[in-house]
Amino acid sequence: MQRPYLRIEGVGRDFGTFSALVDVDIGVERGEFLCLLGPSGCGKTTLLRAIAGLDVPTRGEIFQDGKLITDLPPSQRDFGIVFQSYALFPNMTVATNVGYGLRGPAWPKARVAARLAELLALVGLAEQAGRYPAQISGGQQQRVALARALANEPGLLLLDEPLSALDAIVRLHLRTELRLLQRRLGVTTVMVTHDQEEALSLADRVAVMSDGRVVQIGTPQEVYDRPANAFVAGFVGRSASFAARAAPGGVTIASGRHIPAVTTLPEGTPVRAFIRPEDVMLADTPGSLGAELVGIEFLGSVCRLDLDAEGLPLQAEIAPRALGGLAVGAMLRVALPPDKLMVFALNG
Amino acid sequence: MPCRLLAAAGALLLGAFVSTPLGPAGAQQRTRLTVYTAIENEQLQPFKAAAEAALRDIEIAWVRDSTGVITARLVAERAQPRADVIWGLSAFSLLGLEALDMLEPFTPNGAEILRPNMRSDRSPMTWTGMDAFVAAICYNTAVARQRNLPRPSTWTDLLNPALRGQIAMPNPSSSGTGFLTVAGWMATMGEQPAWTFMNGLHENIQVYTHSGSAPCNNAARGEYGLGISLDMRAVTLRNQGAPIEIIVPTDGVGFDLEATAILRGTRNLAAARRLAGFAVTRAAMELYGRYYAILALPDVAPAVQGYPADFEQRLATINIREMGAQRDRILAEWTRRFDGKSAPR
Amino acid sequence: MAEPRLNDSTLLRLCLGFAALLLAAGLAAPLGLMLARAFQDIDGNFVGLVHFRAYFGSPALLLPAWNSLWTSAVTTAIVLPLAFTFAYGMTRSRLPGRAVFRAIMLIPILAPSLLPALSLIYLFGNQGLLRVLLPEGGSIYGPTGIIVAQCIYTFPHAAMILSVALGMADARLFEAAETLKAGHWRIFRDVTLPAARYGLVSASVVVFTLAVTDFGIPKVIGGQFPVLATDVYRQVIGQQNFSMGAVVAIILLLPAIFGFFAERWAQRLQAAGISGRAVLYRPKRRAARDLPLLAACLAIALVLLSIVGMAIWGSLIRFWPYNMALTTANYDFSSFDAQGWGSLWTSLTMAGLTALVGTPLVFWVAYLLERGGVSGWLPGFVRVAAIAPLAVPGLVLGLAYILFFNHPANPLGFIYGTVAILVLNCVIHFYTVAHLTAVTAIRQLDPEFEAVGASLRVPRWRTFLRVIVPISLPAILDIAVYLFVNAMATVSAVVFLYGPDTKPASVAVVHMDEAGQVASAAAMACVILAITASAKLLQLGASRLLSGGWRPAH
């Protein structure tokens, strides 16, 4: 069996008494796109810097392509990196920036020129080759940084919040481009982001981090559909949640009402139950709850309804044309499919 | 490119100290003597020329600065003296160096006939005198006319209330000139009356300066009506057209000597002795006499003009060694009396 | 496992170690030897706190300390807003002739300190041309003169630091603030000021410390107003009492120690600087801002120019104020000083070497400290050693050099009496401001440049030379010219160190003044000024060549 291209084993990083990383184990397959997702301060950037060799971990080992790299300085590793700030050299043109690493005997002038042309074409900046970073747009700067990172065909591409500084439209556009480019080049990629939508749309797998630990690794689908704990359920994707207590075959909410759910927790355990808007059904089925419509948000392809279902703050999504004559204040019936209700013990 | 720059800098640096050695580097067998001095700038060239003409195999390399700076340098260099000879420094300073055992004992030929109070009392001598300069008053006649300031002819005239706030004087704790002035007052008046005198003078002082030359220089520019300074200060100023009169008070003035000494540990002792020998010759004295009115060799007539005939009699009788020993105590007392309450007026 | 070869971080540590060694030999060891005198008698025997007791026992002590404190505080309070306004005008407005203003701003450090003092006496002395402006019974001699002269003397230092601090700004911050409907005043308060906070703290520390330690101004224009710095002069030059001089020097170090901690504190406050993707701010024309700034800058420039103008005039007249006939005789230096024009050549060599050696050293050390990532006690030592020279009065440093380099056991003794020791002394003496300039510039660089270089397997030194140095070139030029100019004008330390053939022109200025040749002293000072001003103009020309392309024009 082939071992992962990048292996992170038991990595920890302490700053004084504070642990920024605790016992992190991740394997990234060759050609895979992994996103480190988490709120700020969760340790994702520290982990990326450890992979890059910019920050040496206190414990644990990192292997790249079967080689132990934990203590290697960045210059002896094989990666390209794009920082949140891009760190473009302001005194160099786009072409010089991109070609910065193309030097030494392996890169005779002709080869450099050819590679530059290729890279600039790849990111669509052939026209801007002679410009300085200050003279091009933010999106173009981002692509220069990307081209520079890819210039000498690194085995590993590291991206530190590469899209966070861009406006929404450019960001969406570049997200797609980034994904296509990564697929095309097949470069193993680790990206740090706090934007779960970005992570879900880009990554082959997502590693969700919290308080220095990896709390779940899986495909976007797995992470979204089967969050490992309450944190992931709350952080990834949109959901409504409410407090309850575990009961046989479901949970009991504050009003004393029993709601069926799939859970094996001992009876009486304080829990938090999550349900995603698209799983809330507007239907009068046995066991459905009465709900008052308290708000309507029109989102184009869908409408999101804010509901107060017997004290539970729920959200539901329906097609705008199904809205009919519904208005705030209307009374509805909502059903919560037991297999879609995600129940986690509070202390877990 | 920066590497090349650095290399060039290194080469320049190397050149910098190779080409300018301070120590003995006898070109064409001439012995180069490093001579520390506090004589006036304009005197450097004539003194050097005269000495080198008399001593053909000796070259003089001057390091000249004010008395305080040169003395501080000498004391600081005590661990490994860099000067071979001191030629033209205050006897007070030389006594300080003598106390630190920094002077090479040597009695040049003919030093015995120098005035007794202008040569070392040791045997062999540690220093020999050249000439004397005295405390004097630089009196700005233009300012005096303008403000109706009476012309003083004695120190006590300075206590005249009409001179209130018109006098500048060097702070004796910053300036050797200031100290020799105070020493002169003490020698002629006696210590207690001198303090009383200074209490009165304090009322008329505009400023105590840190520099010994500033009172006269600034009096010449009309900043003060009168400045207490040295007699020879006024010459250059008058030549430039300053309306200044130099007054040597008739009631006794403090003086200091310029003197010569050899540094203990010089690597050119033979040459140093020859220069020290030249410094007491008649020829040398005649040279000093072009600038100073009182010379160590009693029968040499000074060529300098403009001094009163009885100038020599006005000098206070000062035991330089004793005054030097009292210096710290006197300065402490002076500071206590006049420095603490030196609010600007 | 780290490979047992010389990698970047070992190399950086070695470099910093070398810098530490240099600062130890050029500052710590000499100064230590000198300050140890505070606890020794004249023969070097340990006497404990005797000298301190003697000094503190004198009731007159508290007065100089208090005087130093309040005049320096007032100076700082006056200079800082003025320098900020000026630097703001240079960097954040569209004033016409900013290049000229930038040159004028430096005038006070372009000439030996005697020149402004002389001019002030010509202007406001008892025979001064503008004496009528002083209040009845007022005098320039005393605290007023000290404060005015020190404001002039410290102004360029503060303006220089603040210009660098304000020199780079991220335009997007301003755009963001504008879109939030923030008024100009709020933008100034919430965007401009916080970004310049580090510069402001550095500038105050520098101004305050310079004002406390400078003895030239109180000596010439302070009358008998006692301050700590003249106490050092009095002990060392007046009485050759090095022990007492050392005691006062130790007291004078206190502001620097305070300054060091203030600097560390400001460093923590410093918001993220300019990033690689920042859009450099180019101020737009705005009359409401530019016109008042123009008026303020013009007023300041006028004051500085009149100081020089007065000195130039003074150097061309026969004898002020009694014979105002014009003459060029005062420029015939050979008739006033044995070395004539020769001392200028010495000064040029010394100042040129100081800039040539000092600039790379200062910038490289600042870079190592800020970006080297070296841990342990080494950076701490270097940081302290870089800040300390500011607080060491020149004459204490000069004496310390004698004690250290003239020591028979010192293997470095061969540089004594050569230009080399003058150069080393100048580099160290003016280290602090140059260092702070370098640090301020480096802190404004994107922190990830080296990481990018390393990821591309480009050696660290190459990224330093290709990216860090070119971007910082304006600051580097500033440092070079600063060192050159100060070395041309300095007196206090080199007065102890020059040899028979290495007397600098600045020392000749003092000698001529002492000899009563005020006009020729002014003349020599003006020649020095002409040389330093030319250097500054060359720098401006070079900056003009540098700007354009990616770099915004100033």
Side-chain angles (χ1 to χ4, degrees), chain B residues 4-333:
Chain B
R4 219 170 304 152
L5 267 182
L6 274 181
L12 264 171
L13 261 183
L14 208 68
F17 55 72
V18 168
S19 66
T20 57
L22 182 61
Q28 301 124 24
Q29 284 126 7
R30 282 219 295 170
T31 308
R32 185 176 153 108
L33 287 179
T34 301
V35 182
Y36 279 24
T37 187
I39 61 173
E40 298 297 299
N41 249 326
E42 50 177 4
Q43 300 161 11
L44 291 174
Q45 203 43 45
F47 279 36
K48 176 180 160 84
E52 287 177 356
L55 315 164
R56 313 240 40 155
D57 54 345
I58 285 176
E59 184 195 352
I60 288 184
W62 290 117
V63 173
R64 192 217 85 94
D65 218 298
S66 64
T67 308
V69 170
I70 280 291
T71 313
R73 264 180 92 148
L74 281 161
V75 175
E77 287 176 348
R78 184 182 173 201
Q80 187 184 348
R82 297 285 173 159
D84 296 300
V85 177
I86 298 166
W87 187 18
L89 184 63
S90 152
F92 282 111
S93 293
L94 289 180
L95 281 172
L97 300 178
E98 185 197 272
L100 294 173
D101 202 21
M102 289 177 66
L103 303 182
E104 173 78 23
F106 171 64
T107 308
N109 272 339
E112 301 80 10
I113 56 170
L114 299 180
R115 294 172 201 260
N117 63 345
M118 292 181 77
R119 57 177 154 86
S120 163
D121 52 3
R122 296 275 169 89
S123 177
M125 295 179 188
T126 47
W127 56 271
T128 54
M130 298 156 59
D131 47 65
F133 45 82
V134 303
I137 300 166
C138 295
Y139 175 69
N140 187 316
T141 50
V143 174
R145 248 195 324 277
Q146 203 179 6
R147 301 194 195 146
N148 246 336
L149 306 180
R151 179 189 182 283
S153 55
T154 64
W155 292 118
T156 34
D157 288 350
L158 292 181
L159 300 180
N160 188 335
L163 297 178
R164 196 176 173 87
Q166 298 297 331
I167 304 173
M169 160 180 179
N171 183 329
S173 63
S174 300
S175 150
T177 307
F179 180 69
L180 79 88
T181 308
V182 172
W185 292 331
M186 296 203 162
T188 46
M189 304 177 191
E191 176 159 352
Q192 271 323 308
W195 286 121
T196 316
F197 166 75
M198 284 187 267
N199 277 345
L201 183 64
H202 185 67
E203 296 304 309
N204 285 353
I205 293 283
Q206 183 187 16
V207 61
Y208 294 108
T209 67
H210 292 286
S211 145
S213 56
C216 197
N217 289 341
N218 287 346
R221 278 179 273 163
E223 287 299 306
Y224 326 124
L226 304 92
I228 298 176
S229 196
L230 299 176
D231 55 340
M232 83 281 188
R233 288 275 163 230
V235 180
T236 12
L237 293 167
R238 252 209 315 255
N239 288 345
Q240 294 175 75
I244 199 154
E245 186 186 344
I246 188 81
I247 300 169
V248 180
T250 52
D251 49 350
V253 291
F255 68 94
D256 195 358
L257 307 174
E258 285 190 311
T260 311
I262 300 171
L263 264 289
R264 192 188 277 283
T266 167
R267 272 168 282 187
N268 302 301
L269 185 58
R273 285 184 165 160
R274 298 183 54 213
L275 181 59
F278 170 75
V280 298
T281 58
R282 175 166 291 271
M285 291 293 161
E286 277 163 359
L287 182 66
Y288 311 150
R290 278 157 57 185
Y291 308 96
Y292 298 95
I294 294 174
L295 303 170
L297 208 55
D299 57 339
V300 176
V304 64
Q305 296 297 309
Y307 283 87
D310 67 337
F311 179 58
E312 222 180 297
Q313 279 72 54
R314 297 188 193 173
L315 261 60
T317 318
I318 295 181
N319 183 330
I320 290 184
R321 182 177 292 282
E322 195 181 308
M323 265 307 172
Q326 307 264 355
R327 185 172 148 170
D328 284 353
R329 185 185 61 78
I330 294 171
L331 291 185
E333 176 65 13

Side-chain angles (χ1 to χ4, degrees), chain C residues 324-346:
Chain C
M324 304 295 245
L326 292 177
T327 175
T328 54
N330 300 318
Y331 285 83
D332 180 19
F333 298 127
S334 49
S335 49
F336 309 110
D337 189 275
Q339 305 205 355
W341 285 79
S343 58
L344 277 163
W345 179 242
T346 307

